[in-house]
Amino acid sequence: MKLTYSFIIPVYNRPDEIDELLASFFNFSSKIPFEIVIVEDGSTQASDKVIENYKNSLNIMYLTKPNSGPGDSRNYGMKKASGNYFIILDSDVILPKDYLDEVAAFLQQDYIDCFGGPDAADASFSDIQKAINYSMTSFLTTGGIRGKKKAVKKFEPRSFNMGLSKKAFQATSGFGKIHPGEDPDLVIRLEKLGFKTAFIEGAKVYHKRRISWEKFYTQVKKFGMVRPILNSWHPHTKSIAFWFPTMFSLGLLSAVILLLLGFPYLMYFYSFYFLLLFLDAFLKTKNFKISILVLWAVLIQFFGYGIGFLTTTFYISVLGENPRKTFPKLFFDA
């Protein structure tokens, strides 16, 4: 089967990001034909003027619709796309010039119906963005599940950088209404239907993450909140690994209390871990300031995710609450 590629990009009030992303498409070294499907998800700051600048040089389909969330917008774009293989991106990524070559070479050699790729930090990113990128991708923090071939648990593609065949999309009806969490939910349903997923190491994107510390905390807390919901929908996916941020956070609080009471031994463990993080970050970034910021990013990530995970677990598993009624902001029901 000849593969024809459609890039699917939902956008919500981010014309500047679309400009940077389209510029990276313009710089592609690949000669492989492709189309770009941009879905404006009820934005009040439209991207139409930005897109107009690229229409003569890129094959762009620009769609507008009422706001219904990124998952539904991706589904809408895939229904309208002309390709038979969809590559789904977030609007805040930048593509290396050989991205499509890497994807096509992999699929020609070992065809797969769903793939994911890693995210990296471009040299132009801010120090905070680089620190957050390390925190979200390092084996020492997430176990490599967000972008490493070898990880503590099976890699799950994420929609900031995900490939999906038309056949797989039609079999699953695409993304569900939960957000965040629509990515692992789709991957789990794909695997139940017998579709295989893969990690394409060469298909990396530069994930800009439009983030302040406050927004980062909100994001990772939501990640933690949706996981118990997904576990309740797909019980076979439960793993002790999802409890690690909660256990880490409670353990660190206990270490501080014990230290104040004159028992420093547990704090020795945490001190060693943070020293290891700093040294690893410094080896990778060669930047003292970023390596210090990494420590703060990891604390925010673990406490945010851990608190979110514990909160939803309590409401669902202990109180027996309905997630949609208790946490309506995690769902798009339009």
Side-chain angles (χ1 to χ4, degrees), residues 54-261:
Y54 294 91
K55 278 211 164 181
N56 292 332
S57 53
L58 294 172
N59 179 17
I60 303 176
M61 180 190 300
Y62 179 55
L63 306 171
T64 60
K65 53 179 279 299
N67 179 252
S68 59
D72 189 57
S73 295
R74 296 179 195 119
N75 294 343
Y76 184 77
M78 287 186 280
K79 289 175 184 177
K80 299 290 186 180
S82 60
N84 59 22
Y85 207 99
F86 310 126
I87 300 178
I88 303 159
L89 304 172
D90 277 355
S91 62
D92 62 344
V93 304
I94 300 171
L95 298 176
K97 63 182 181 179
D98 62 345
Y99 177 89
L100 190 53
D101 289 321
E102 292 283 349
V103 170
F106 184 97
L107 294 178
Q108 287 169 7
Q109 183 176 353
D110 186 14
Y111 179 81
I112 207 85
D113 283 288
C114 179
F115 75 81
D119 55 334
D122 185 69
S124 65
F125 289 5
S126 71
D127 290 344
I128 290 179
Q129 287 171 326
K130 290 175 181 177
I132 289 173
N133 180 267
Y134 175 93
S135 182
M136 294 291 283
T137 60
S138 172
F139 188 86
L140 294 176
T141 55
T142 61
I145 62 173
R146 292 184 59 89
K148 296 288 187 298
K149 201 165 188 177
K150 294 180 180 178
V152 296
K153 63 184 294 293
K154 188 172 181 179
F155 172 75
E156 293 177 344
R158 294 289 192 268
S159 59
F160 67 83
N161 182 16
M162 174 191 282
L164 186 68
S165 71
K166 186 174 183 177
K167 178 182 178 182
F169 168 64
Q170 292 174 335
T172 58
S173 298
F175 295 92
K177 295 292 188 180
I178 192 171
H179 177 71
E182 70 273 25
D183 306 346
D185 174 58
L186 173 58
V187 172
I188 294 165
R189 290 187 285 114
L190 282 168
E191 292 178 344
K192 284 182 178 179
L193 293 173
F195 291 99
K196 295 184 188 290
T197 63
F199 175 72
I200 303 181
E201 193 163 9
K204 73 176 180 181
V205 300
Y206 299 114
H207 199 177
K208 198 161 189 177
R209 303 183 194 280
R210 48 184 183 266
I211 272 174
S212 63
W213 293 124
E214 182 181 2
K215 290 179 179 178
F216 181 49
Y217 175 80
T218 300
Q219 182 187 58
V220 292
K221 184 178 179 182
K222 285 183 176 179
F223 287 160
M225 291 178 72
V226 299
R227 182 50 73 169
I229 299 173
L230 297 177
N231 289 345
S232 69
W233 291 352
H234 312 287
H236 70 285
T237 64
K238 291 181 180 180
S239 169
I240 188 65
F242 298 131
W243 279 95
F244 286 169
T246 302
M247 293 187 292
F248 177 94
S249 302
L250 294 176
L252 181 56
L253 290 174
S254 300
V256 171
I257 293 172
L258 289 172
L259 179 65
L260 295 174
L261 294 175

Side-chain angles (χ1 to χ4, degrees), residues 275-290:
L275 177 62
L276 190 63
L277 279 176
F278 173 83
L279 293 175
D280 185 62
F282 187 77
L283 287 173
K284 288 181 169 61
T285 66
K286 306 295 189 297
N287 186 295
F288 182 85
K289 179 183 176 182
I290 294 173

